[in-house]
Amino acid sequence: MGAVTSTMNYQQVLEQIAEEIARTPGRGRSADYIPALATRDPRAFGMAVAELDGTVHGVGEWREAFSAQSITKVFTLALDLAHEGDELWEHVGREPSGNPFNSLVQLEYENGIPRNPFINAGALVVTDRLHTRTGDAAGGLLRLLRAESGNPDLGFDLAVAGSEAARGDRNAALGHFMASYGNIDNPVPLLLDQYFRQCSVTASCADLALAATLLARHGVRADGTRLLTRSQAKQVNAVMLTCGTYDAAGEFAHRVGLPGKSGVGGGIIAVVPGRCALCVWSPGLDERGNSVAGVAALDLFTTLTGLSVF
Amino acid sequence: MGAVTSTMNYQQVLEQIAEEIARTPGRGRSADYIPALATRDPRAFGMAVAELDGTVHGVGEWREAFSAQSITKVFTLALDLAHEGDELWEHVGREPSGNPFNSLVQLEYENGIPRNPFINAGALVVTDRLHTRTGDAAGGLLRLLRAESGNPDLGFDLAVAGSEAARGDRNAALGHFMASYGNIDNPVPLLLDQYFRQCSVTASCADLALAATLLARHGVRADGTRLLTRSQAKQVNAVMLTCGTYDAAGEFAHRVGLPGKSGVGGGIIAVVPGRCALCVWSPGLDERGNSVAGVAALDLFTTLTGLSVF
Amino acid sequence: MGAVTSTMNYQQVLEQIAEEIARTPGRGRSADYIPALATRDPRAFGMAVAELDGTVHGVGEWREAFSAQSITKVFTLALDLAHEGDELWEHVGREPSGNPFNSLVQLEYENGIPRNPFINAGALVVTDRLHTRTGDAAGGLLRLLRAESGNPDLGFDLAVAGSEAARGDRNAALGHFMASYGNIDNPVPLLLDQYFRQCSVTASCADLALAATLLARHGVRADGTRLLTRSQAKQVNAVMLTCGTYDAAGEFAHRVGLPGKSGVGGGIIAVVPGRCALCVWSPGLDERGNSVAGVAALDLFTTLTGLSVF
Amino acid sequence: MGAVTSTMNYQQVLEQIAEEIARTPGRGRSADYIPALATRDPRAFGMAVAELDGTVHGVGEWREAFSAQSITKVFTLALDLAHEGDELWEHVGREPSGNPFNSLVQLEYENGIPRNPFINAGALVVTDRLHTRTGDAAGGLLRLLRAESGNPDLGFDLAVAGSEAARGDRNAALGHFMASYGNIDNPVPLLLDQYFRQCSVTASCADLALAATLLARHGVRADGTRLLTRSQAKQVNAVMLTCGTYDAAGEFAHRVGLPGKSGVGGGIIAVVPGRCALCVWSPGLDERGNSVAGVAALDLFTTLTGLSVF
């Protein structure tokens, strides 16, 4: 990180990125498996950088709300780690999956223990455990995101949650399968309801960049209290870097070199430990489910600023 | 990396680590599949830190030579990237494998393209391509390691190479299998000879820490010339972080949080980009093939210095 | 089949088998995953041969009712084939699975099409399709078995069905998983109810041997009407031979050489096309879920009579 | 087998089959991976039936020599069983593979023990063991085939063997992989030489139908001496039925209902235990490597004669 100056002009960097992205022709396709995602323009684009003190810079549609989807898995993981600590790692692994994000093959080989908390199976386990401990996994997530983003209007999109539930057979299969190994405590239908509500959170780049500063501050919340130990924050960042972008984590580490987490709504958050957090949004996805313009924008960000961990 | 002071006393840190390690009872088992490895004391321990300017600090048996084994894969990868650039990535992937390091299953699913350059299959492809381009893959590796370590006595241990060859059926299977997909250019027996010689390089913690500063300097060699572009150096570091410790890359990222590469001889190198490089050695391995005391020592190093990328 | 005489004395053969089995020490373990099965004595033994005209010979506890379990899959398959014919084979394969009987791995590789109708996933598909066509899959099965066995008292054991449902997560996972590929029409909970009721049928060796003469008569029912075409009956027999004993079909073909189907209740039916049908029962199972004494008894039967298809 | 008359007119049946086949339009593609196979006309067709006493009936190009390929695996298996008996089954399984015929995946899961003797890996093990016991596996096979067919001119096609060796990386991978598990005794290059020579045997439908009567006679050779026990002959027939046509064994059992073994040269042998043996040849293959017209002709044969085992 030698090239970084302390007075970096994030706004200028964001505008340079937006210009470059605007010149790029291809942009992938919006997720089309539920109506709410399919209707978003694949070329929409927004990006925000939040500094540790809560200052936010943005460009494009950085205040536009979108479906956070799997990005929320980072925060559910943080909440559960805060509640139960390392015991979680006996029920979900910390290794990249080497398989697409909802594969049952791996689960069968490893007796119902998902490889990491960001594949769907792993996120179900984390939600299950958090729900057992708090009685309200989805509600707790929403409270955390509202507090960290400073946006009390953040909410679930129950139409999205309903659409997911209506086509939720794959996740139901994962849930029942892990339950058959004793790795799920709650009834599967109840668990799925919690899970789909979490995924349906609607938030903007500004909201999510601010929320992600939790991890840039090594686990300290916006109000100065500590949610995670420094070691736990490091764990979450490490899992983001190695497992945060489905089957493309290696390529993401190559190109971007930051802990990051993507969602099929087209959003990606990224963390520069000790410096800032980012969120970029553009609904057009590549064939592995990551935002095409989003990855390109983060690539440009680390190239322009030198803010990569490598 | 906020907590790092610019005048860090590496020597003091190393001594503190060595004391703590000395108090640790368990230490794993030395690799026993070839005689040269089986005879090493699992409790031997050495560690070195090399700064960017070539200053080296060490503790324990940091000048004792050991079998570098898979650590050499980092340098073969660097050499081939320097020769052919991104074309390599069409023949070997950049994703964590999610499987033990010599699995054929993954190769079959992905039509002979190994998932990354650090599983055995991927290292065979890299060696094959470097050999096609230079006519002397093993020789080129040795020249690079001698130059970067400043130690002209570094050499192959042909007894080790011979032992590996004598039990090389698994690697022969990998080579022929990829050849059946057209992903190997040289005759398999010739390729195996190059590969086993590379793995047999004997070097000390001091030697390998110095050599690894190549990656801490973002691709600049000890003599000031550039071997890799900054982007290529970032690629190598990213692959080390996500794939460098076999099936334990996720856990290594958690605990250590640095790009690293282990070998079954008990060595591990690690890189702090822009700051320094490390090598630790202790022959006792865990069940995934990584040095038990080595991982613990690196964990202590990042805890004591705050020098983790997360 | 050259050595067979037309006036075979089945009763004598059965008694010879029973004597030999009584001398055998080991007998496996009763299935213990639900109470109703766990309480059966693993050393209980009964065997019946039914001739094409309905004459039945028996030995041991051949009139004792037991849980038919997967044996019923043969008759559900016959019913569905009678209703929809070859269209079924577009939704379930006819190949041995090469994997344990409830594996999800295979399903994922083949996009939700189970390999054959006797693995659990395949039986769920057959039940689903039969239920869609008749509105009462389990009821239809019961009517068929009552008619072919001539025993109007055959019934479901709802305690067994309930126990299965209470631990039905694995089958629920299979059902939802195939539904995610569009290969299940009915709601999964409804399908599971039908499925578990079918498996719970309680019948004796005499009942099931008589019912299986349907297949020895190449598809003609006990009342002389035809349920299956000759070609369909051949299909069912072929699937029994290649897939009827879970992951031990090859060994069963070796040792016994007859189309057969086992259940975890300890029963096995077997068919000698054009000659007779058999049912043997002994609750002690081997590690692949087949009755130890049952397989041994069928092996003796073909050795003593020469009535193997090979 | 009730419908069979003792004075069946095989010649008439064969001519009826040939007429029907001639009217069929599609015919698949000849194997194209080696020149000697690629040049055969996919529409060529011949078929022969050999009775137990050596009488042979034929139609079409039934005296034309073709490359026997995997059909020879049946006879190598018979020879090895005759030499070592059931010990073989500790080194190769008897279960259908559920995977394409040269998959390494299965081998890895089962620690180097191939699932059955007819997948390539299993045939390599059988050849290896026969060669260890006799010092001349390929020579022994040729002597057996010459004796049973009564054709002293049967021989290897060394051009075919050479072509196979030149593209033998997949089989070399299989051999080395099993050697790494200790399941291969001979040096892999020597084993491959034996294996490719065996596959290269050139013979006609008449020759192979006559040779296969060995199995129709339950192990008795043409000269009246016994090669296999009745039980061993049953074992070979059972393996043919369950594993003889690669990944289409289930469908073959459905349609044909006879023990059979196909080869990529376009030949298929089939056995009617106690009655006769058949060989059909037509080079056009389906996507699973079985002769399209060959399977159709055998299907017609069992339909016309009722000579199916089911």
Side-chain angles (χ1 to χ4, degrees), chain C residues 239-256:
Chain C
V239 172
M240 288 174 78
L241 190 89
T242 53
C243 319
T245 43
Y246 309 124
D247 200 31
E251 192 183 321
F252 189 82
H254 261 235
R255 287 183 61 186
V256 176

Side-chain angles (χ1 to χ4, degrees), chain B residues 160-200:
Chain B
V160 166
S163 297
E164 299 266 13
R167 56 178 301 289
D169 275 311
R170 183 66 71 115
N171 284 305
L174 290 169
H176 282 292
F177 192 53
M178 293 188 291
S180 78
Y181 284 105
N183 202 22
I184 291 291
D185 295 328
N186 293 286
V188 172
L190 168 63
L191 169 60
L192 293 176
D193 175 62
Q194 289 288 317
Y195 177 75
F196 290 135
R197 274 201 281 152
Q198 288 177 0
C199 290
S200 80

Side-chain angles (χ1 to χ4, degrees), chain A residues 61-283:
Chain A
E61 305 177 48
W62 66 297
R63 293 194 179 285
E64 174 78 14
F66 60 89
S67 194
Q69 294 292 327
S70 294
I71 293 174
T72 60
K73 292 177 170 132
V74 173
F75 300 96
T76 311
L77 171 62
L79 280 174
D80 188 69
L81 269 180
H83 272 93
E84 68 167 322
D86 279 354
E87 197 183 319
L88 170 64
W89 303 121
E90 294 166 25
H91 298 272
V92 62
R94 294 173 278 189
E95 299 302 324
S97 78
N99 278 314
F101 58 100
N102 48 10
S103 171
L104 280 125
V105 171
Q106 176 270 323
L107 271 185
E108 190 154 14
Y109 292 156
E110 306 198 19
N111 299 313
I113 308 292
R115 287 223 109 200
N116 69 62
F118 290 162
I119 54 174
N120 286 11
L124 285 167
V125 168
V126 176
T127 297
D128 180 64
R129 300 183 69 78
L130 180 61
H131 195 69
T132 298
R133 274 150 193 77
T134 65
D136 186 14
L141 170 71
L142 193 58
R143 281 188 295 278
L144 177 69
L145 289 174
R146 284 176 174 171
E148 300 309 303
S149 67
N151 179 357
D153 298 331
L154 276 189
F156 302 127
D157 181 333
L158 295 181
V160 166
S163 297
E164 301 265 12
R167 55 179 302 290
D169 277 310
R170 182 68 71 115
N171 284 305
L174 291 168
H176 282 291
F177 192 54
M178 292 189 292
S180 77
Y181 284 105
N183 202 23
I184 291 292
D185 296 328
N186 293 287
V188 173
L190 169 63
L191 169 60
L192 292 176
D193 175 62
Q194 288 287 316
Y195 177 75
F196 291 135
R197 274 201 281 153
Q198 288 177 359
C199 291
S200 80
V201 165
T202 297
S204 68
C205 288
D207 297 330
L208 293 171
L210 277 165
T213 55
L214 170 70
L215 296 159
R217 282 187 304 261
H218 304 297
V220 175
R221 298 183 61 157
D223 65 5
T225 62
R226 183 170 278 284
L227 179 70
L228 301 173
T229 65
R230 195 180 177 94
S231 165
Q232 288 169 337
K234 183 172 153 184
Q235 287 174 15
V236 177
N237 284 333
V239 172
M240 288 174 77
L241 189 89
T242 53
C243 320
T245 44
Y246 308 126
D247 200 31
E251 193 184 321
F252 188 83
H254 261 234
R255 286 184 62 187
V256 177
L258 291 177
K261 180 77 201 80
S262 60
V264 292
I268 310 177
I269 59 170
V271 174
V272 187
R275 296 294 295 254
C276 62
L278 299 91
C279 181
V280 60
W281 170 65
S282 179

Side-chain angles (χ1 to χ4, degrees), chain D residues 33-37 66-70 72 124 138 141-142 155-169 171-172 189-202 264:
Chain D
Y33 69 97
I34 60 172
L37 301 181
F66 60 89
S67 193
Q69 295 291 328
S70 293
T72 59
L124 285 167
L141 171 71
L142 193 58
F156 302 127
D157 182 333
L158 296 182
V160 165
S163 298
E164 300 265 14
R167 54 179 301 290
D169 276 310
N171 284 304
L190 169 63
L191 169 60
L192 292 177
D193 175 63
Q194 289 288 315
Y195 177 75
F196 289 135
R197 275 202 280 153
Q198 288 177 359
C199 291
S200 80
V201 164
T202 296
V264 291

Side-chain angles (χ1 to χ4, degrees), chain D:
Chain D
M1 300 188 188
V4 179
T5 66
S6 57
T7 58
M8 187 164 288
N9 189 327
Y10 289 119
Q11 190 62 41
Q12 204 174 320
V13 169
L14 288 176
E15 278 157 20
Q16 195 174 339
I17 291 170
E19 270 175 46
E20 195 124 349
I21 293 292
R23 280 197 296 270
T24 314
R27 202 59 72 79
R29 293 165 45 109
S30 300
D32 56 5
Y33 69 97
I34 60 172
L37 301 181
T39 56
R40 301 308 296 248
D41 173 10
R43 294 190 58 82
F45 178 80
M47 188 170 185
V49 177
E51 297 191 66
L52 298 193
D53 64 0
T55 313
V56 194
H57 313 271
V59 74
E61 303 176 51
W62 66 296
R63 292 194 179 286
E64 175 75 15
F66 60 89
S67 193
Q69 295 291 328
S70 293
I71 294 174
T72 59
K73 292 176 170 133
V74 173
F75 300 97
T76 310
L77 171 62
L79 280 174
D80 187 69
L81 268 181
H83 272 94
E84 67 167 323
D86 280 352
E87 198 184 317
L88 171 64
W89 303 121
E90 295 165 26
H91 299 272
V92 62
R94 294 173 278 189
E95 300 302 325
S97 78
N99 278 312
F101 58 100
N102 48 10
S103 169
L104 281 125
V105 172
Q106 175 271 322
L107 271 185
E108 189 156 15
Y109 292 156
E110 307 199 18
N111 299 314
I113 307 292
R115 285 224 110 198
N116 69 61
F118 291 162
I119 53 175
N120 285 13
L124 285 167
V125 168
V126 176
T127 297
D128 180 64
R129 300 184 69 79
L130 180 62
H131 195 69
T132 299
R133 275 150 192 78
T134 65
D136 185 15
L141 171 71
L142 193 58
R143 283 188 295 278
L144 177 70
L145 289 174
R146 282 175 175 170
E148 298 310 302
S149 67
N151 179 356
D153 298 331
L154 276 190
F156 302 127
D157 182 333
L158 296 182
V160 165
S163 298
E164 300 265 14
R167 54 179 301 290
D169 276 310
R170 183 69 71 117
N171 284 304
L174 291 168
H176 282 291
F177 191 55
M178 294 188 291
S180 77
Y181 285 105
N183 202 22
I184 291 291
D185 295 330
N186 293 285
V188 173
L190 169 63
L191 169 60
L192 292 177
D193 175 63
Q194 289 288 315
Y195 177 75
F196 289 135
R197 275 202 280 153
Q198 288 177 359
C199 291
S200 80
V201 164
T202 296
S204 69
C205 288
D207 297 330
L208 292 171
L210 276 166
T213 56
L214 170 70
L215 295 161
R217 281 186 307 261
H218 304 297
V220 176
R221 298 183 60 157
D223 65 5
T225 61
R226 184 170 276 285
L227 179 70
L228 301 173
T229 66
R230 195 181 176 94
S231 164
Q232 288 170 336
K234 184 173 152 185
Q235 287 174 15
V236 177
N237 283 332
V239 173
M240 288 174 77
L241 190 88
T242 53
C243 319
T245 43
Y246 309 125
D247 199 32
E251 192 184 321
F252 188 82
H254 261 235
R255 288 183 61 185
V256 176
L258 290 177
K261 182 77 202 80
S262 60
V264 291
I268 310 176
I269 60 169
V271 174
V272 187
R275 297 293 294 255
C276 63
L278 299 92
C279 183
V280 60
W281 170 65
S282 180
L285 306 180
D286 62 26
E287 75 285 354
R288 292 195 279 195
N290 299 306
S291 169
V292 173
V295 174
L298 290 170
D299 187 353
L300 283 166
F301 180 85
T302 55
T303 302
L304 292 170
T305 63
L307 284 172
S308 153
V309 301
F310 297 120

Side-chain angles (χ1 to χ4, degrees), chain C residues 1 241 256-259 271-273 306-310, chain D residues 1 241 259 273 309-310:
Chain C
M1 298 191 188
L241 190 89
V256 176
L258 291 176
V271 174
V272 187
L307 284 172
S308 154
V309 301
F310 298 118
Chain D
M1 300 188 188
L241 190 88
V309 301
F310 297 120

